[in-house]
Amino acid sequence: MAIKKIGELLVEAGLITEAQLKESLLALKDGKGQRLGAVIVQKGYATEIDIAQTLAFQLGIPFIDISKTQVDPEAVGIVPERLAKKYLLMPLIQEHRVLKVAMADPLNLHAMDDVRFSTEMEVLPMVATLSDVEAAINTHYHLNEPIEDLLGDIKRDRLVELVREPESDRDIVENTRKSSAPPIIKMVDSILIHGFENRASDIHIEPQELSVKLRVRVDGIMRETMKLPKWVQGPVISRIKLMARMDIAERRVSQDGRFKVKLGDKAVDLRVSTLPTQYGETVVMRLLDPKSSMLDLGNAGFLPDDLARVKSIIERPQGVVLVTGPTGSGKTSTLYSMVSSIKSERINIITIEDPIEYELKDVNQVAVNDKTGLTFSFALRSVLRQDPDVILVGEMRDEETAVIAHQASMTGHLVFSTLHTNDAVSSVVRLRNMGIPPYMIASALNGVVAQRLVRKICAQCKEAYDPSEDELKKGGVRWSGRKLYRGAGCKSCSGTGYSGRVGIFEVLTISQKVKSLISMDGSEQEIFRAAVDAGMTPMHMDGLKKVAAGITTLEELTRVIYIGKGDEAGKCPACSESLPEGAPKCPNCGAASLKNCLSCGKESQAGWKVCPWCAESLASPSKPRV
């Protein structure tokens, strides 16, 4: 009966004639297991696409091109393959209790009843061509062997559980994905396991013209893991978007989401971002371990003197402490380790973050939500009414937040926050540009920690070597005859020679001279000179000390920060180490620079015998003044 109805619809639409229908029906009786649509196409009376679009128009059912549609692996998993083949239908997506199904014969009510009974879901039919449905069934129900080959050495034997956070009045915890789960789900699970076990901070899925590139960021460096065939693009991206509760039908705009998985007994939060590109949507997943052990301040990489300076600025009862650096430089981890080091039952600590990256025990953490109006500035005003002793503001993004934070510090609160600047001293200029009065900065600021992350030499393949002159010149040092260290590359570090990262720092403490310069709107160079005079070690010098100690390499240091070529004008006359431009003293040995007056630190010029500012002699010292 269903065959006759389809034929009548095609005749009514004028796609075929009565005579062509009768001829096709006769041929159908003589054929073996053929369908009316296939016979009509064979005889050349109409094309598959014509038949499908005509049926869609006549029945008021949407037409769909499966090859351009992202198929939900969850939907594939709930409809048995035998039903899909028997009725030539392809499950596409499940939304709530409705299952969208592409069918070559949308009038087959018996097929819809069987699927409804099997899945216990309402069935919403959509029209597709017969060849599209057959190709989709063969692709999405037979991926195990190809995917096993594609994944190569990536581990697939660990349990991955998708955990849903409470929503409305219901708790949703998705079932554990076992080995019998649809293959695309296993592929996504394997990608997550691979990223987690390789200590990746980010996983990138990047569609190319003929393939899909999978890359991970480990220790700040991107690594290409593998290339997948183009046909996995839609299902893999759909699976990730479903996990992150994104709209899988929307592929024209960028989207953000997040989800949580349990890998064995380990919970991992993932922040997901999609972006439409020339060849499809790229997906970036950032891995965050909410229960990761906080960095001990003593193990973060601070040199002893800098560690003492950091402790002195965070143990004060009030003031502003800033951590500065580019994105991905470890600012949040340093802030958390600072808060953890001062945490006690006697003080109330509240954080305002976007988003909450790590869980801090016994600390009240607030997540910013711009959509509901809970901005940094609004949340900060609310937090000040919660009787806090210590406040952590994830980032000083605007003038309002920065002013409130400084005002809070002046009313008896210790405030931690971050900025995006290149070094410690430029943070003062940044605060000025944000509209904070210089007197308020000078009064509130306890100190600034500028930092970068450099990769550590792999302990398993560490070896000594003699650096070349070019390498030393690029690093701005004179270390002729000194042995340095590097990683030869081994299985443990995936042949990179590096494993893990450590911070290099620049710690600015606000001495009386620095405070005076800030309040008088002094220049950045003047503040830098006063900071170095007070004992601040410039960041590149901190890095060079870690190179000399065999912690990292000169190549890695110059990759992360610009040191310069190190000409003679930038060398200390006493120890030949690199000398920051305009510095009154060598940060390495303490010797006074011949370019500056020993008394006032003002820059001198060649041929001068007396300083015009303080009238002191400019003669070279017999020994370094400390």
Side-chain angles (χ1 to χ4, degrees):
M1 296 298 293
I3 293 176
K4 184 178 179 182
K5 288 181 181 178
I6 286 180
E8 289 176 351
L9 286 172
L10 297 179
V11 172
E12 288 174 8
L15 186 65
I16 60 175
T17 65
E18 284 279 4
Q20 289 172 337
L21 175 60
K22 288 180 180 179
E23 189 176 340
S24 298
L25 290 172
L26 287 172
L28 191 63
K29 292 180 180 178
D30 298 333
K32 296 182 179 179
Q34 282 188 303
R35 295 177 181 268
L36 178 61
V39 174
I40 292 173
V41 172
Q42 276 181 5
K43 290 186 171 293
Y45 298 151
T47 63
E48 278 194 337
I49 190 76
D50 288 338
I51 294 172
Q53 289 181 341
T54 301
L55 287 175
F57 178 77
Q58 290 290 95
L59 297 172
I61 296 175
F63 169 79
I64 190 164
D65 184 347
I66 304 177
S67 64
K68 296 179 181 178
T69 302
Q70 294 186 352
V71 178
D72 176 8
E74 297 281 353
V76 178
I78 61 175
V79 176
E81 183 184 358
R82 61 175 180 80
L83 283 183
K85 283 187 171 182
K86 179 179 179 181
Y87 297 117
L88 280 179
L89 55 84
M90 183 66 208
L92 300 175
I93 184 172
Q94 58 167 330
E95 294 176 344
H96 305 296
R97 301 301 303 168
V98 177
L99 180 66
K100 293 182 180 179
V101 177
M103 304 178 69
D105 182 0
L107 293 173
N108 192 337
L109 301 180
H110 185 61
M112 285 189 279
D113 286 340
D114 271 10
V115 173
R116 188 180 296 114
F117 178 78
S118 175
T119 62
E120 297 182 353
M121 301 179 75
E122 287 300 316
V123 177
L124 181 64
M126 306 179 84
V127 185
T129 65
L130 184 62
S131 58
D132 270 4
V133 172
E134 289 176 335
I137 291 172
N138 291 331
T139 299
H140 293 280
Y141 280 98
H142 296 277
L143 299 179
N144 281 307
E145 293 78 12
I147 283 183
E148 293 292 323
D149 295 337
L150 291 173
L151 292 175
D153 295 331
I154 289 183
K155 293 185 178 179
R156 303 174 291 279
D157 55 353
R158 289 186 59 182
L159 227 52
V160 177
E161 181 180 352
L162 176 62
V163 179
R164 293 293 193 196
E165 297 296 335
E167 180 185 316
S168 305
D169 297 326
R170 58 179 183 161
D171 291 339
I172 309 171
V173 180
E174 203 167 282
N175 291 331
T176 302
R177 304 297 168 216
K178 300 183 180 178
S179 58
S180 60
I184 287 295
I185 294 179
K186 290 199 293 182
M187 171 174 269
V188 174
D189 289 350
S190 299
I191 291 171
L192 297 180
I193 293 168
H194 174 75
F196 180 77
E197 293 192 341
N198 283 273
R199 301 178 295 104
S201 60
D202 300 87
I203 299 173
H204 293 241
I205 298 173
E206 303 170 344
Q208 308 292 304
E209 184 177 7
L210 302 174
S211 62
V212 179
K213 186 187 294 184
L214 176 64
R215 297 199 293 171
V216 295
R217 187 180 294 277
V218 180
D219 293 336
I221 302 295
M222 295 290 287
R223 298 181 189 173
E224 184 172 331
T225 301
M226 66 177 63
K227 282 189 177 180
L228 302 171
K230 189 70 174 177
W231 56 262
V232 307
Q233 176 180 324
V236 166
I237 293 176
S238 289
R239 169 62 180 164
I240 293 170
K241 290 172 76 172
L242 282 166
M243 294 169 80
R245 293 190 174 182
M246 297 177 177
D247 183 357
I248 70 167
E250 180 57 76
R251 298 188 293 277
R252 298 165 297 176
V253 297
S254 61
Q255 297 187 63
D256 295 301
R258 64 185 304 160
F259 63 93
K260 179 184 288 187
V261 296
K262 293 184 79 173
L263 298 170
D265 59 351
K266 198 83 169 177
V268 181
D269 277 330
L270 291 100
R271 292 203 316 238
V272 183
S273 173
T274 65
L275 181 70
T277 65
Q278 180 181 6
Y279 298 116
E281 288 178 290
T282 61
V283 177
V284 177
M285 295 181 283
R286 171 154 288 188
L287 282 71
L288 303 167
D289 184 357
K291 297 188 181 298
S292 110
S293 55
M294 292 300 102
L295 272 174
D296 184 282
L297 204 55
N299 296 328
F302 289 103
L303 296 175
D305 288 346
D306 282 343
L307 181 60
R309 291 172 185 277
V310 170
K311 287 183 176 180
S312 73
I313 64 177
I314 68 174
E315 290 175 355
R316 300 178 192 178
Q318 64 188 59
V320 174
V321 178
L322 295 176
V323 179
T324 183
T327 300
S329 59
K331 298 187 298 296
T332 301
S333 295
T334 299
L335 276 181
Y336 276 39
S337 63
M338 288 177 175
V339 169
S340 295
S341 68
I342 64 171
K343 184 177 64 176
S344 75
E345 294 181 356
R346 295 174 296 176
I347 60 175
N348 180 24
I349 302 176
I350 303 178
T351 73
I352 306 169
E353 306 171 64
D354 182 22
I356 296 171
E357 295 194 8
Y358 303 100
E359 294 177 8
L360 281 172
K361 188 179 179 182
D362 301 325
V363 173
N364 299 306
Q365 295 176 272
V366 178
V368 168
N369 189 340
D370 290 335
K371 293 180 181 178
T372 62
L374 189 63
T375 61
F376 273 113
S377 56
F378 184 87
L380 184 52
R381 291 183 189 276
S382 302
V383 163
L384 288 172
R385 296 191 288 270
Q386 293 287 312
D387 187 32
D389 298 293
V390 177
I391 305 170
L392 188 155
V393 182
E395 183 183 343
M396 288 191 182
R397 291 183 177 175
D398 51 48
E399 178 184 350
E400 186 179 9
T401 305
V403 170
I404 298 170
H406 280 72
Q407 289 173 342
S409 72
M410 297 175 71
T411 56
H413 303 89
L414 181 60
V415 180
F416 293 91
S417 191
T418 67
L419 278 178
H420 289 94
T421 58
N422 289 330
D423 53 48
V425 174
S426 59
S427 298
V428 175
V429 179
R430 171 75 174 130
L431 292 173
R432 284 182 195 159
N433 294 337
M434 292 177 75
I436 304 176
Y439 75 87
M440 185 180 289
I441 301 172
S443 176
L445 195 60
N446 288 356
V448 183
V449 177
Q451 70 178 76
R452 301 287 191 280
L453 289 176
V454 294
R455 291 178 293 170
K456 294 192 296 183
I457 299 171
C458 175
Q460 304 297 321
C461 58
K462 184 176 179 179
E463 64 179 14
Y465 76 104
D466 295 313
S468 66
E469 287 298 323
D470 287 343
E471 186 178 359
L472 293 175
K473 186 176 181 181
K474 186 178 179 181
V477 291
R478 283 187 172 182
W479 283 343
S480 297
R482 173 182 286 186
K483 293 278 188 183
L484 294 183
Y485 295 89
R486 64 187 175 193
C490 63
K491 187 176 180 180
S492 177
C493 62
S494 301
T496 63
Y498 299 96
S499 180
R501 289 191 288 179
V502 69
I504 55 173
F505 302 94
E506 186 175 85
V507 183
L508 168 65
T509 54
I510 309 302
S511 64
Q512 279 303 122
K513 188 173 182 180
V514 171
K515 182 177 291 189
S516 177
L517 286 169
I518 293 174
S519 61
M520 292 189 300
D521 221 4
S523 70
E524 187 173 338
Q525 188 177 35
E526 288 176 322
I527 297 172
F528 178 81
R529 290 177 179 177
V532 171
D533 195 48
M536 182 183 81
T537 301
M539 189 184 299
H540 78 280
M541 288 303 302
D542 183 69
L544 288 172
K545 290 180 180 180
K546 290 181 170 71
V547 170
I551 298 172
T552 189
T553 65
L554 204 53
E555 179 186 16
E556 174 68 4
L557 182 62
T558 55
R559 182 189 68 84
V560 174
I561 60 173
Y562 176 74
I563 296 179
K565 299 302 180 183
D567 55 15
E568 292 302 318
K571 296 295 183 182
C572 171
C575 67
S576 294
E577 293 290 358
S578 181
L579 186 66
E581 183 180 355
K585 283 186 177 182
C586 173
N588 186 58
C589 69
S593 168
L594 296 183
K595 294 177 65 178
N596 298 85
C597 173
L598 296 175
S599 296
C600 67
K602 296 286 187 180
E603 186 172 351
S604 61
Q605 294 184 14
W608 287 2
K609 294 182 180 180
V610 176
C611 176
W613 289 281
C614 67
E616 289 292 329
S617 172
L618 292 173
S620 178
S622 57
K623 64 178 182 178
R625 189 177 70 141
V626 181

